[in-house]
Amino acid sequence: HYGARGVAGIAADYKDSLPKGSEGQVFAENVHAKARSLFVRIMNARRTTRWLSSTGILLALQKPCPWDNRPAWLVAQYGMVWWQLTDHIRWLQQIKWLPGDEARTKRIGFTGFFISAIVSFLYHLKQFLTVEETEKKKKARKLQIVKHFVTVLAAGHISEIAMSHEAICGFGGAIAASIDIYEMFPRKEKEK
């Protein structure tokens, strides 16, 4: 989804920089159209599956706080709840069950995601700089810092609070998603 958005962003810039009707411009326009179509279709499918995935965020609020800074953790969690709730509203607007401006709803929702990502990035950066941890925990912390930093870039762009570029947003989101997938798989301990 985000990778396709990144490709569409680069292709859009490339097609606009070439002479209209040239072979390169037609090719870039075709790549842009296909990547944009893939991005939108996957984005809409993901929005549908979020109806169930948001349950995990709500259930996490019942568990003990994993951070040593409970207020920051709550802000990050409620930013995610805010984003999920507005994403559900936007989905209902898309299927015409609710009235409203989908683009505005998206910006409002991604503002919550943006706030969550900033708080998470700053928390993990502070922990990395001030807390003594094992090498294994430091490596995991670095991944969190990178993931939340690129999420800040992507969510800032989508919320239109901190506009960057479709390619930065797309590839930033792809990096964050790749880290999430990487973290889901168990690691085999190295034999000594």
Side-chain angles (χ1 to χ4, degrees):
H1 158 244
Y2 278 106
R5 184 177 193 154
V7 170
I10 289 172
D13 285 349
Y14 190 64
K15 75 180 179 71
D16 293 341
S17 70
L18 296 171
K20 188 146 182 73
S22 69
E23 190 175 317
Q25 192 268 340
V26 170
F27 175 77
E29 200 165 276
N30 188 34
V31 169
H32 175 261
K34 288 181 179 179
R36 177 91 183 138
S37 174
L38 177 63
F39 154 61
V40 169
R41 291 195 188 276
I42 294 172
M43 174 186 64
N44 288 335
R46 289 180 66 192
R47 186 166 296 116
T48 303
T49 63
R50 280 194 202 121
W51 279 96
L52 292 175
S53 67
S54 61
T55 307
I57 294 169
L58 294 173
L59 292 174
L61 292 171
Q62 298 176 1
K63 295 179 182 176
C65 174
W67 292 3
D68 63 1
N69 184 334
R70 184 169 173 76
W73 181 77
L74 286 172
V75 169
Q77 294 305 302
Y78 282 112
M80 292 300 289
V81 169
W82 168 2
W83 169 61
Q84 293 278 336
L85 179 62
T86 55
D87 197 64
H88 298 336
I89 291 168
R90 184 172 175 219
W91 185 84
L92 291 169
Q93 289 172 333
Q94 283 184 325
I95 63 169
K96 307 297 184 217
W97 284 19
L98 285 179
D101 181 350
E102 290 176 46
R104 183 169 187 265
T105 304
K106 174 191 76 170
R107 287 190 304 274
I108 291 168
F110 270 92
T111 298
F113 195 23
F114 181 66
I115 290 167
S116 177
I118 288 172
V119 170
S120 298
F121 169 73
L122 292 174
Y123 172 78
H124 288 291
L125 183 62
K126 180 181 179 255
Q127 293 297 104
F128 182 76
L129 296 173
T130 62
V131 176
E132 196 63 39
E133 295 179 311
T134 66
E135 282 304 311
K136 184 177 179 180
K137 284 188 178 183
K138 274 188 174 269
K139 182 180 177 186
R141 184 80 62 195
K142 286 178 189 176
L143 272 178
Q144 289 300 306
I145 291 167
V146 170
K147 178 176 86 171
H148 292 296
F149 177 74
V150 296
T151 301
V152 166
L153 295 177
H157 180 79
I158 297 167
S159 69
E160 298 181 13
I161 289 174
M163 294 294 290
S164 57
H165 189 279
E166 284 291 295
I168 293 170
C169 174
F171 293 125
I175 291 166
S178 297
I179 292 171
D180 281 339
I181 292 168
Y182 173 80
E183 290 174 336
M184 287 179 4
F185 290 97
R187 304 285 172 260
K188 184 177 178 181
E189 293 293 325
K190 292 181 182 177
E191 294 182 21
K192 297 178 181 180

